[in-house]
Amino acid sequence: MASLERSKLIGVIDAGTNSVRFVIFKLPEFEEIASHQIRITQIVPRDGWTEHNPVEVLEAVRLCAVETCHQVEKLGFLVKDIAAIGITNQRETTVVWDKNTGEPLYNAIVWNDIRTDKTVDRVLARLPEQNHNHFRALSGLPISPYFSALKLNWLKDNVVAVRKACRERRCYAGTIDTWLVWNLTGGPQGGAFVTDVTNASRTLLMNIETLHWDPLLTKTFSVHPDMLPEIRSSSEIYGKVKDSSVLDGIPISAILGNQQASLVGQRCLKEGQAKNTYRKGCFLLYNTGTRCVQSTHGLVTTVAYQMGRNAPPIYALEGSVAVAGVAMNWLRDNLKIIKDIKDSEEIAGSVSSTGDVYFVPAFTGLYAPYWRKDARGIFCGLTSFTTKHHFVRAALEAVCFQTRDIIEAMKKDCGINLNKLHTDGIMASNSLLMQLQADLSGIPVLRTEVHEPAALGTAMAAAQANGVDLYKLEAEIRGYAGVQSHHETFLPTTTEEERNARYTKWKMAVQRSLGWAVSKKSEAMTDERYSLLASIPAGLFLATTFLMLVHSQRR
């Protein structure tokens, strides 16, 4: 068979929070034919801190590529049949390195790391009314420990090597996609220093409408523009692999943050379509088309994708549920109610309802759309007839109610009623959960048969890039040409009156969960009050203490 007649392949690097994977798809069906996965070490120096070794991530990518290419060759293909490579990655995770040597200046700070809480407080102290949403109109994001700008700020303040490299203009900073592309395309010898709009939109440094680094944001967070990569579209050739690996010479032609890649893989390409990924938490993205919708109901505005330099950016609203699969882990590990998470469907399905029991899993507060740190988890409506089966079913319903909360917020922000919800993720394999989601939200739920839609979406973006030209993503809107689209559909079986009555009870339970956690005073506040009391003459100490107690009671 002549080379031009051979089936073309697309490779995808999937760099997640817990593992790295390399996947190969065969065109034109985008059939997954080979993959290899390696787990990544989770470095936890302190409670609430999470880091990765950037070199370990890079080496895992190379090892996965070698192993996957061996699998492909056993199937009768050649490595040169790989026409292009795409990258999908954990978002917000931040890496800093020396641009001259390529050596990391510190471990990568992972997206869910919360060490920057005090950095947030310091930034807020300089803003009018200490408003977390002060930069929403510019960035689409609240000021939060999650986003890369705060992590970079912390690194400059706390790591001498980073501060010195910044001063000497040899510090490069980026998310995982930037780190991988730069190294794979040559590193210090001319590697492409780029990111895409989806990852840049999670940094709190990009202007959400111009798609450029914003001068006010970079100044606020003390990030010099020279440190930052060039922002490019999600689908174009950024460079060719030049690291003498098995992939040498293959172009890298797509970059997408993992949740945005999942949106593409689910073919939610029309305005008003949405997908929800059910894992330890949930990530619901709602396609708003070319409209950049600013949420007034606790959601985040993000870039969904931009398929080429001259293509318009497509935006999305995103809502995150902190506790989904985590609740199942809690029932298994803490309460010993279930032995295996796989048993949850059978146990919950053994009762026809929760017996009017509601569970609010606010273990560390409530996230979108409530944003209440003082909330704590509760079970409501217990009776002497309540069993573990009701607990497990209530935990599944809690995932569905939290998802409905986000859907309702999106409806208020966009004025568009969602007519179906695409789903994926490990928890989506629970058919009872999918049926409950349809019943409690009142919309059809479409569960994809694709195991990892993020990798598929990235492969589609890589194949359609200018210069690769093996696929036209626009055809997806007119009937999913080229990619077989198989879904299992779960239709609502409840009446509107029934589901709204249940949702009203859920909102009542949420209200009862609020106000349980008392905010701890910061060390700075404690030190300040101690110094003040120490300066009071002994004769006035008791009177002053009494007045402070009275004041705190009135609050």
Side-chain angles (χ1 to χ4, degrees):
M1 183 184 293
S3 178
L4 290 175
E5 297 173 347
R6 298 182 65 88
S7 295
K8 288 296 183 182
L9 309 177
I10 296 290
V12 173
I13 296 167
D14 185 351
T17 307
N18 298 305
S19 64
V20 164
R21 204 163 66 106
F22 192 81
V23 193
I24 292 182
F25 294 88
K26 180 169 77 72
L27 274 57
E29 302 88 358
F30 285 89
E31 174 192 359
E32 182 179 323
I33 61 170
S35 70
H36 188 70
Q37 183 169 324
I38 294 176
R39 290 195 68 81
I40 297 299
T41 306
Q42 304 296 307
I43 303 167
V44 185
R46 298 186 197 175
D47 186 34
W49 293 28
T50 310
E51 299 173 359
H52 290 160
N53 181 342
V55 174
E56 180 187 357
V57 174
L58 178 62
E59 288 307 310
V61 167
R62 290 172 172 148
L63 289 171
C64 285
V66 168
E67 179 59 35
T68 309
C69 286
H70 284 164
Q71 294 177 31
V72 162
E73 288 173 336
K74 288 179 181 178
L75 294 172
F77 296 96
L78 302 175
V79 173
K80 68 179 181 180
D81 294 330
I82 302 174
I85 297 166
I87 295 176
T88 182
N89 59 285
Q90 51 171 304
R91 305 173 303 171
E92 297 103 11
T93 297
T94 305
V95 189
V96 286
W97 68 95
D98 188 317
K99 70 178 184 180
N100 297 327
T101 66
E103 292 296 317
L105 297 167
Y106 192 78
N107 281 334
I109 301 182
V110 180
W111 62 272
N112 58 0
D113 184 291
I114 60 170
R115 75 183 66 188
T116 59
D117 268 343
K118 291 180 181 178
T119 309
V120 170
D121 291 340
R122 194 165 63 250
V123 171
L124 290 175
R126 303 197 302 265
L127 299 177
E129 300 178 357
Q130 290 76 56
N131 183 4
H132 282 82
N133 295 315
H134 184 78
F135 294 120
R136 254 188 197 276
L138 279 178
S139 67
L141 308 174
I143 300 170
S144 162
Y146 287 134
F147 305 117
S148 305
L150 281 303
K151 302 180 194 305
L152 285 175
N153 204 272
W154 185 92
L155 286 162
K156 286 186 67 177
D157 287 345
N158 294 276
V159 181
V160 174
V162 175
R163 193 159 56 247
K164 188 171 186 290
C166 288
R167 192 165 56 245
E168 296 172 0
R169 295 285 192 268
R170 53 184 174 82
C171 180
Y172 269 178
T175 40
I176 291 293
D177 57 299
T178 302
W179 166 251
L180 293 177
V181 172
W182 186 80
N183 278 284
L184 292 174
T185 57
Q189 284 75 49
F193 188 44
V194 298
T195 189
D196 92 300
V197 289
T198 66
N199 281 288
S201 73
R202 313 297 296 189
T203 61
L204 198 52
L205 294 169
M206 187 189 83
N207 187 301
I208 196 70
E209 294 193 359
T210 68
L211 308 185
H212 291 104
W213 302 122
D214 189 272
L216 177 59
L217 294 173
T218 55
K219 182 178 179 181
T220 299
F221 295 103
S222 303
V223 176
H224 197 280
D226 288 350
M227 294 171 58
L228 301 173
E230 179 186 357
I231 300 174
R232 305 272 283 272
S233 77
S234 308
S235 176
E236 61 178 271
I237 294 176
Y238 314 103
K240 293 184 177 181
V241 177
K242 296 177 183 176
D243 70 341
S244 302
S245 73
V246 68
L247 304 175
D248 197 62
I250 300 173
I252 299 174
S253 62
I255 301 172
L256 283 161
N258 55 7
Q259 297 306 324
Q260 287 95 330
S262 176
L263 188 78
V264 175
Q266 287 272 30
R267 276 83 85 191
C268 294
L269 304 175
K270 290 183 180 178
E271 181 179 349
Q273 291 184 317
K275 72 89 195 175
N276 197 17
T277 298
Y278 296 78
R279 294 185 181 278
K280 290 183 178 180
C282 289
F283 298 91
L284 201 161
L285 267 69
Y286 181 107
N287 187 324
T288 63
T290 55
R291 290 193 303 153
C292 181
V293 178
Q294 294 291 343
S295 176
T296 56
H297 297 88
L299 305 177
V300 162
T301 304
T302 195
V303 179
Y305 53 85
Q306 184 189 20
M307 292 302 169
R309 289 193 182 194
N310 299 319
I314 302 300
Y315 293 95
L317 284 174
E318 179 174 337
S320 300
V321 171
V323 178
V326 169
M328 295 297 118
N329 293 344
W330 179 73
L331 291 174
R332 179 194 63 194
D333 301 335
N334 293 40
L335 298 192
K336 313 296 183 186
I337 286 178
I338 55 177
K339 291 183 179 179
D340 193 307
I341 291 175
K342 294 178 181 177
D343 300 334
S344 62
E345 182 173 358
E346 181 181 352
I347 293 172
S350 66
V351 289
S352 60
S353 73
T354 65
D356 213 26
V357 171
Y358 291 80
F359 174 40
V360 182
F363 296 143
T364 57
L366 284 171
Y367 290 73
Y370 302 102
W371 301 110
R372 290 289 298 265
K373 291 183 179 180
D374 61 340
R376 286 296 178 267
I378 60 167
F379 278 101
C380 292
L382 306 185
T383 70
S384 59
F385 297 102
T386 301
T387 68
K388 71 174 185 179
H389 306 84
H390 298 112
F391 279 160
V392 176
R393 192 177 180 102
L396 291 179
E397 286 197 355
V399 177
C400 303
F401 281 126
Q402 290 177 99
T403 298
R404 177 167 174 178
D405 280 335
I406 293 172
I407 291 172
E408 294 292 328
M410 289 177 172
K411 188 188 302 182
K412 292 172 184 174
D413 281 330
C414 297
I416 300 173
N417 289 322
L418 193 64
N419 57 19
K420 59 186 174 183
L421 179 65
H422 296 260
T423 63
D424 61 78
I426 191 166
M427 279 193 78
S429 61
N430 186 321
S431 294
L432 176 59
L433 174 64
M434 296 295 96
Q435 186 59 56
L436 289 172
Q437 186 67 78
D439 289 343
L440 295 174
S441 60
I443 57 176
V445 169
L446 280 64
R447 178 171 64 188
T448 180
E449 291 183 359
V450 178
H451 179 60
E452 290 289 349
L456 172 61
T458 307
M460 291 157 61
Q464 73 101 54
N466 185 31
V468 180
D469 304 315
L470 292 174
Y471 182 67
K472 285 192 177 297
L473 191 64
E474 293 81 2
E476 289 289 308
I477 299 175
R478 297 189 296 274
Y480 309 142
V483 180
Q484 295 299 313
S485 179
H486 298 294
H487 296 95
E488 184 175 0
T489 302
F490 297 84
L491 298 174
T493 60
T494 55
T495 66
E496 185 176 0
E497 184 179 5
E498 287 171 337
R499 75 179 68 100
N500 286 342
R502 299 291 318 283
Y503 188 55
T504 299
K505 281 278 189 79
W506 160 258
K507 302 291 274 189
M508 290 169 58
V510 168
Q511 287 301 312
R512 285 160 171 76
S513 76
L514 305 178
W516 285 95
V518 179
S519 299
K520 294 181 180 180
K521 302 299 181 186
S522 69
E523 291 178 8
M525 178 70 77
T526 304
D527 291 343
E528 183 180 339
R529 288 193 174 183
Y530 177 81
S531 299
L532 177 63
L533 288 173
S535 66
I536 297 174
L540 296 178
F541 181 81
L542 290 176
T544 305
T545 305
F546 174 76
L547 289 172
M548 290 179 69
L549 288 171
V550 170
H551 177 66
S552 65
Q553 290 296 319
R554 286 176 177 171
R555 292 177 64 195

